[in-house]
Amino acid sequence: MKPARRLVALAAAVLLATAGCAGAESGSSGPIKVGSVNALSGAATFPEASQAAKAVFDAANASGGVNGRQIEYKALDDKGDPAAAAAAAREVVGRDEAVALVGSSSLIECEINNKYYEQQKILSIQGIGVDPACFTSPNIAPANVGPYHDMTLTLLYGSETLKLNDICALLEIAGNTLPSYQAAIDEWSAITGKKLKYLDATVPYGGSDYTSYIVKARNAGCKAITVNPVEPDSIGQLKAAAAQGWNDVTWLLLTSVYSENYAKAITNAGAGVYVPAEFYPFTDSTSPQNKDWRELMTKNNIPLTSFSQGGYLAAKYFLEVAKGIKGDVTRESVTKALREMKPITDPMVGTPYVFGPGQTHHDNTAGWPIKLASGTNKWELVADDWLRIPKK
């Protein structure tokens, strides 16, 4: 090779080597990109989960980040629309090249995007998992119990602790959720040997009048009713029961109605509204279990709800795992670390969190029983420990 050509080749090699070093340096010193897909607008919204996750990451950044790198967090809105949910995932995963999704909360996001996450080899620590795919995908592991284990827990509390008989179910079914709710009921039956007295799976979301459903349940001889409602629906159902003079029915509900606004709206709760809170009850304002979460949420003007608890915990789990990674924090290293992580115990939950290598992730099986009584407008704790679904 002539001297001139040798110089050109050497210069090219130096440039390539320099470019490679620059890229490696940029990858290990730039921000760690994390995203989430959420219902921030639409019929049902859950903004607190991603807000809480951001607050955790902002606090971590203020303390030096993860091994000296800052967390760059983006929360996108799926608007309750499948197309928007798919587009949001592709933006944060494909364009932004996030290393993981953390704190997502949506009615549809898991069902729409779980196969895409598998294709892209990215994992999601859901703040609040709702639809069945959140708990049946190898790439999604929610921080919360979820509505299906929640239903098993509320039935267990009703039949085994309150010793109630003649329990019925009024189910509000969206999309493909009926099999999952039926499986939750079947799990309760398998544990207790008991059956529901009556089941109506035709109850509508957002119904204008629930009187006919309440009348049918009362005529069926129901003494207690489990329902999976959003707050406005449950308020309508309790008002319909009160209007019929049905004041001795016990309501076995889910964490979806656990809020201070709901408590303020209920004057007649029949024989009581019971809920297995998915996280340590936030209405216990002096609890040491929630102290750090409560202080961070209050500082950032984020509502104190179960949704913000889920987002907060999802971000904490991610940080603990990410800080233990040796070398660069990439999608590949984060995925490996989450698959191989040891369980993380937190006083805000009754079950240790672990992502792990499983093909499904539905391992949070504990709730804390709480009660709303007529005329109190306040939730109260009715247990000294977590209620857990027995291991098979």
Side-chain angles (χ1 to χ4, degrees), residues 130 135 144-160 167-173 177-189 191-192 196 198-201 203 205 225-230 237 251-256 274-278 362 364-367 387-389:
V130 180
F135 306 96
N144 67 317
V145 172
Y148 315 111
H149 280 339
D150 215 22
M151 177 153 285
T152 302
L153 286 166
T154 201
L155 286 168
L156 284 172
Y157 189 79
S159 67
E160 307 310 296
I167 300 176
C168 303
L170 302 180
L171 300 182
E172 300 185 354
I173 300 303
T177 58
L178 180 56
S180 295
Y181 281 115
Q182 185 62 60
I185 294 167
D186 291 344
E187 184 173 26
W188 165 72
S189 293
I191 294 168
T192 64
L196 291 176
Y198 170 79
L199 170 65
D200 184 349
V203 182
Y205 275 105
I225 299 178
T226 186
V227 197
N228 61 322
V230 291
Q237 291 156 15
W251 299 89
L252 305 173
L253 305 185
L254 310 186
T255 309
S256 54
Y274 291 86
V275 169
E278 295 188 65
H362 205 178
N364 193 339
T365 57
L387 171 68
R388 294 178 173 86
I389 298 174

Side-chain angles (χ1 to χ4, degrees), residues 1-19:
M1 184 182 291
K2 293 183 179 180
R5 291 181 179 176
R6 288 199 190 98
L7 288 173
V8 172
L10 180 60
V14 170
L15 284 171
L16 287 170
T18 303

Side-chain angles (χ1 to χ4, degrees), residues 26-67:
S26 174
S28 60
S29 61
I32 298 170
K33 296 185 178 182
V34 179
S36 64
V37 180
N38 312 271
L40 304 180
S41 63
T45 61
F46 313 99
E48 304 100 306
S50 55
Q51 290 171 354
K54 183 179 185 302
V56 172
F57 290 141
D58 287 346
N61 287 339
S63 300
V66 176
N67 302 331

Side-chain angles (χ1 to χ4, degrees), residues 52-366:
K54 183 179 185 302
V56 172
F57 290 141
D58 287 346
N61 287 339
S63 300
V66 176
N67 302 331
R69 294 176 64 186
Q70 298 284 286
I71 299 287
E72 185 178 301
Y73 185 65
K74 178 187 283 189
L76 296 179
D77 185 9
D78 70 14
K79 305 174 184 177
D81 175 68
R90 280 150 183 79
E91 177 177 336
V92 73
V93 176
R95 194 188 73 182
D96 297 340
E97 299 183 342
V99 301
L101 293 113
V102 178
S104 297
S105 180
S106 165
L107 289 175
I108 62 171
E109 195 270 317
C110 297
E111 181 179 356
I112 299 302
N113 294 320
N114 71 93
K115 294 301 181 184
Y116 177 67
Y117 296 155
E118 290 183 48
Q119 293 168 1
Q120 297 300 311
K121 299 179 180 179
I122 190 169
L123 303 186
S124 174
I125 305 176
Q126 206 85 4
I128 299 294
V130 180
D131 72 69
C134 296
F135 306 96
T136 57
S137 165
N139 287 51
I140 302 173
N144 67 317
V145 172
Y148 315 111
H149 280 339
D150 215 22
M151 177 153 285
T152 302
L153 286 166
T154 201
L155 286 168
L156 284 172
Y157 189 79
S159 67
E160 307 310 296
T161 301
L162 299 178
K163 305 300 181 182
L164 297 170
N165 296 312
D166 299 327
I167 300 176
C168 303
L170 302 180
L171 300 182
E172 300 185 354
I173 300 303
N176 63 340
T177 58
L178 180 56
S180 295
Y181 281 115
Q182 185 62 60
I185 294 167
D186 291 344
E187 184 173 26
W188 165 72
S189 293
I191 294 168
T192 64
K194 299 173 182 178
K195 303 287 185 182
L196 291 176
K197 186 175 184 65
Y198 170 79
L199 170 65
D200 184 349
T202 68
V203 182
Y205 275 105
S208 59
D209 185 0
Y210 289 101
T211 301
S212 63
Y213 301 96
I214 295 299
V215 169
K216 284 188 287 186
R218 189 179 190 183
N219 290 341
C222 304
K223 301 300 182 184
I225 299 178
T226 186
V227 197
N228 61 322
V230 291
E231 288 182 29
D233 294 1
S234 180
I235 293 169
Q237 291 156 15
L238 265 67
K239 286 183 177 179
Q244 295 297 313
W246 196 13
N247 298 320
D248 60 350
V249 61
T250 302
W251 299 89
L252 305 173
L253 305 185
L254 310 186
T255 309
S256 54
V257 302
Y258 177 36
S259 77
E260 292 181 331
N261 287 335
Y262 177 86
K264 291 175 182 177
I266 298 299
T267 54
N268 188 337
V273 173
Y274 291 86
V275 169
E278 295 188 65
F279 308 107
Y280 187 85
F282 62 83
T283 46
D284 182 5
S285 60
T286 61
S287 63
Q289 293 93 328
N290 286 332
K291 182 177 181 294
D292 293 342
W293 162 79
R294 182 178 290 274
E295 290 178 352
L296 185 64
M297 297 303 102
T298 302
K299 178 182 177 182
N300 289 275
N301 297 314
I302 299 170
L304 302 177
T305 66
S306 294
F307 300 122
S308 61
Q309 286 179 303
Y312 169 87
L313 286 167
K316 279 190 65 179
Y317 296 149
F318 172 82
L319 284 175
E320 184 165 338
V321 172
K323 288 179 178 179
I325 293 174
K326 305 297 183 183
D328 198 3
V329 179
T330 64
R331 184 179 300 178
E332 291 75 17
S333 65
V334 168
T335 297
K336 183 175 186 294
L338 286 170
R339 295 290 193 200
E340 299 175 354
M341 70 178 285
K342 294 181 179 179
I344 298 174
T345 300
D346 191 284
M348 289 176 65
V349 289
T351 308
Y353 179 84
V354 61
F355 204 112
Q359 292 299 298
T360 61
H361 302 281
H362 205 178
D363 300 325
N364 193 339
T365 57

